[in-house]
Amino acid sequence: MAETCGQVLLGSGLTILSHPLMYIKVLVQVGHEPLPPTLGRNLFGRQVYQLPGLFAYAKHIIKIDGKSGLFKGLTPRLCAGTIGTIVHSKVLQCYKLLVNKEYLRKMIARSCATIVTHPFHVITLRCMVQFIGREAKYSGVFDSIVTIYREEGILGFFAGLIPRLLGDILSLWICNMLAHFINTYAIDDSTSHTGEIKNCSQAVTGFFASMLTYPFVLVSNLMAVNNCGLAGGLPPYAAIYPNWLHCWSHLSREGNMSRGNSLFFRKLPAGKMYAIEQKRFF
């Protein structure tokens, strides 16, 4: 119990610190570009048009909503993190004797935590996307729950769940496969620093897996706000997607599968034009 409480406190602290980053990433994912591109230089000194990065975007939000504006959607995200940590820990304990393979236990625990906390994830995203249209439809956790249930029913709480689950499972599989390969063929167990090397390899494999599975995160987030009555989930920002596969196909055709993956050195996509009235690119 003490270990779980420690994980909750640590996770909450990291969530608070990282929230502005996630907030800006979500706005970029849905296609909101409030600032026009500027002429700058890339790493090779060549002049290119660049989209505003993390700090410029943050300054724009602070200018409109103040510093507290960077923390919209923090409360439901903290709820998701706390509940997810507890569920993950409890499921791991329950399946410790039932499932022999650690990978399967982690997959079951992570999937259960994702399913249980997804309604709070949906609320978090919608609270953030309200910035685009200056709406106040989702003003709190309980009010948001009532709003979603009244307008969309139970299924509204699980919008975008399938690609998120698939991304989680694929990420765990990639991490497990790479960790097994590195630990088996690249690490000598006889060295005194084996533990430190394995911890480092876990961080590297986690980063690599997150890069490969990012399209699932993007599609999941877009489906969570798609056609929910907010400006950020309606045309011209987003098409009305009947399902996540249609969303995936549409993003793939436009070459936007990595949109929002990087918030630094954001080069203006070739063939795109900035529409100042709608603050997005075509």
Side-chain angles (χ1 to χ4, degrees):
M1 184 64 181
E3 182 181 353
T4 302
C5 291
Q7 292 176 351
V8 169
L9 291 175
L10 178 60
S12 297
L14 293 175
T15 296
I16 294 172
L17 291 174
S18 65
H19 193 77
L21 177 64
M22 179 188 174
Y23 183 23
I24 295 170
K25 182 182 285 288
V26 168
L27 293 179
V28 173
Q29 285 177 340
V30 298
H32 184 54
E33 296 290 350
L35 303 173
T38 58
L39 187 62
R41 295 185 181 275
N42 60 15
L43 295 176
F44 302 100
R46 183 180 177 183
Q47 284 191 334
V48 293
Y49 277 100
Q50 297 176 337
L51 299 177
L54 172 66
F55 299 110
Y57 214 122
K59 288 181 179 178
H60 173 74
I61 294 174
I62 292 173
K63 183 179 179 181
I64 296 176
D65 289 337
K67 293 181 180 179
S68 62
L70 292 172
F71 295 92
K72 283 186 177 180
L74 177 60
T75 301
R77 191 179 174 209
L78 286 173
C79 292
T82 301
I83 297 173
T85 300
I86 295 173
V87 170
H88 189 274
S89 176
K90 293 296 183 182
V91 173
L92 279 179
Q93 292 177 7
C94 291
Y95 281 86
K96 192 171 184 178
L97 298 176
L98 296 177
V99 181
N100 294 326
K101 292 187 178 181
E102 183 181 6
Y103 162 68
L104 290 177
R105 290 200 303 269
K106 288 183 177 180
M107 185 182 71
I108 294 172
R110 187 165 176 177
S111 298
C112 289
T114 297
I115 294 171
V116 171
T117 61
H118 194 74
F120 294 99
H121 181 68
V122 171
I123 294 172
T124 297
L125 296 176
R126 295 186 181 185
C127 287
M128 293 175 170
V129 171
Q130 287 184 137
F131 175 81
I132 297 174
R134 311 304 300 158
E135 297 115 329
K137 185 176 180 179
Y138 300 92
S139 56
V141 176
F142 296 107
D143 289 341
S144 299
I145 291 174
V146 172
T147 299
I148 294 175
Y149 181 76
R150 184 177 63 246
E151 296 185 356
E152 304 170 54
I154 295 296
L155 292 180
F157 294 106
F158 299 97
L161 175 62
I162 294 177
R164 189 180 177 204
L165 270 179
L166 291 176
D168 283 349
I169 295 171
L170 182 59
S171 177
L172 279 174
W173 181 80
I174 293 173
C175 285
N176 185 69
M177 181 184 66
L178 291 177
H180 175 74
F181 178 82
I182 293 173
N183 295 336
T184 303
Y185 300 104
I187 296 179
D188 185 1
D189 290 334
S190 63
T191 62
S192 58
H193 300 288
T194 301
E196 291 83 352
I197 296 174
K198 286 185 177 181
N199 290 335
C200 183
S201 68
Q202 288 177 355
V204 173
T205 55
F207 176 76
F208 185 69
S210 67
M211 289 181 59
L212 292 179
T213 58
Y214 179 78
F216 290 94
V217 176
L218 175 61
V219 172
S220 174
N221 288 352
L222 291 181
M223 290 306 297
V225 301
N226 183 58
N227 197 24
C228 66
L230 299 176
L234 295 170
Y237 286 97
I240 304 300
Y241 304 116
N243 55 65
W244 72 273
L245 291 174
H246 187 274
C247 178
W248 183 293
S249 177
H250 181 258
L251 292 173
S252 181
R253 287 197 306 269
E254 292 193 340
N256 283 328
M257 294 303 292
S258 62
R259 187 170 67 191
N261 191 22
S262 173
L263 296 178
F264 300 96
F265 306 108
R266 300 175 59 219
K267 182 181 176 182
L268 178 67
K272 297 290 184 179
M273 295 184 63
Y274 180 79
I276 193 168
E277 301 88 358
Q278 296 171 338
K279 297 182 179 180
R280 70 183 297 269
F281 290 92
F282 292 90

